[in-house]
Amino acid sequence: MEANKIKICGIKDLSIANFCIESDADYLGFVSYKNSPRDISFNDSKNIISKLSKPVNTVAVTVNADISSIKKIEDSGFNHIQLHGSESLDYLSSIKKSTKLKIIKAFGISTQNDFDHIGDYIDLCDFFLLDAKPAKSEMPGGNAKKFDWGLLRDHNLGRKFFLSGGLDMDNLEIALKNNITSFFDVSSSVESSPGVKDKIKIKEFINKVKGK
């Protein structure tokens, strides 16, 4: 079975980024969404990425970003882009044709119906990310909400997927025991306050994922 991988999302400073790397994180996520407490500009992300202590997978987390900015994301040093909005198949196709970015497409899940169109994206994605479906008043992601993982039982998604949405030390234990996936995405539960990462929580979470 594939070794577990973890993405720490909402990176905003170099110290935390390098701490995550030294603690064995596999992916660092940088959020580009102005309404998020974790928002960071591409220029600031580029500055952090250029100073990382070791190579690591870097993910630009976007929400319906202007397609003209995608090349800027690649030029900032990112090797992955996460699409957390309502991006179309044509949008993804354009990214694949114009960049070398690997694509993570996020889907909000609350009922079986939310799986209906995921299969349409298989050929254009490197990974899926499954998160709790947000209410209209909530952000597209990062709301610390868990969805019913039992909905996954009847689906072979055809792609590796990150499990996201309200992961904490307690429900992570359940996800690991049930072999739901090998890829985990965490943000709010490793923070001391919205947007402020906590090194102790990060280390504890990564160690749990990695079985240390």
Side-chain angles (χ1 to χ4, degrees):
M1 185 175 177
E2 185 171 13
N4 290 334
K5 307 290 186 182
I6 184 165
K7 176 160 80 74
I8 305 294
C9 205
I11 300 298
K12 292 177 66 177
D13 66 76
L14 179 62
S15 172
I16 289 294
N18 281 332
F19 180 81
C20 290
I21 292 172
E22 298 303 326
S23 299
D24 210 16
D26 303 284
Y27 298 79
L28 302 182
F30 299 74
V31 176
S32 174
Y33 185 64
K34 64 180 181 180
N35 295 326
S36 171
R38 303 168 190 95
D39 180 48
I40 183 172
S41 71
F42 294 141
N43 284 337
D44 286 344
S45 295
K46 181 178 182 178
N47 186 47
I48 293 172
I49 291 170
S50 69
K51 297 175 182 176
L52 293 176
S53 58
K54 296 178 184 177
V56 69
N57 294 300
T58 50
V59 184
V61 181
T62 65
V63 182
N64 299 322
D66 189 324
I67 195 69
S68 64
S69 70
I70 301 302
K71 185 61 178 172
K72 183 177 181 181
I73 290 173
E74 186 176 39
D75 291 342
S76 295
F78 289 102
N79 48 38
H80 290 67
I81 183 169
Q82 181 174 314
L83 309 176
H84 222 105
S86 55
E87 296 87 1
S88 68
L89 295 172
D90 286 343
Y91 184 102
L92 272 71
S93 181
S94 178
I95 293 174
K96 287 194 75 71
K97 290 176 181 176
S98 62
T99 76
K100 294 181 180 179
L101 291 167
K102 292 187 176 181
I103 298 175
I104 303 170
K105 180 69 182 85
F107 296 93
I109 305 296
S110 63
T111 71
Q112 290 288 1
N113 293 337
D114 294 317
F115 291 91
D116 287 351
H117 300 292
I118 292 179
D120 297 341
Y121 288 81
I122 287 178
D123 292 338
L124 294 170
C125 291
D126 296 277
F127 298 93
F128 293 143
L129 182 144
L130 303 185
D131 197 353
K133 193 171 187 176
K136 289 184 178 180
S137 61
E138 294 176 322
M139 293 187 298
N143 296 302
K145 286 172 54 177
K146 176 181 173 292
F147 67 93
D148 178 7
W149 298 338
L151 296 171
L152 293 166
R153 294 191 190 103
D154 299 327
H155 298 278
N156 179 3
L157 298 177
R159 273 286 176 268
K160 295 175 181 177
F161 68 91
F162 286 88
L163 184 65
S164 185
L167 281 175
D168 56 33
M169 291 298 290
D170 293 330
N171 59 34
L172 174 62
E173 178 77 23
I174 298 171
L176 291 169
K177 284 183 177 179
N178 287 277
N179 296 318
I180 291 177
T181 185
S182 297
F183 292 81
F184 299 89
D185 177 280
V186 68
S187 182
S188 59
S189 73
V190 293
E191 293 179 340
S192 56
S193 61
V196 180
K197 291 290 184 280
D198 185 305
K199 290 183 177 180
I200 294 175
K201 292 180 178 180
I202 288 170
K203 184 71 172 179
E204 183 181 34
F205 199 94
I206 292 175
N207 285 351
K208 187 71 172 179
V209 169
K210 301 284 186 173
K212 294 183 179 180

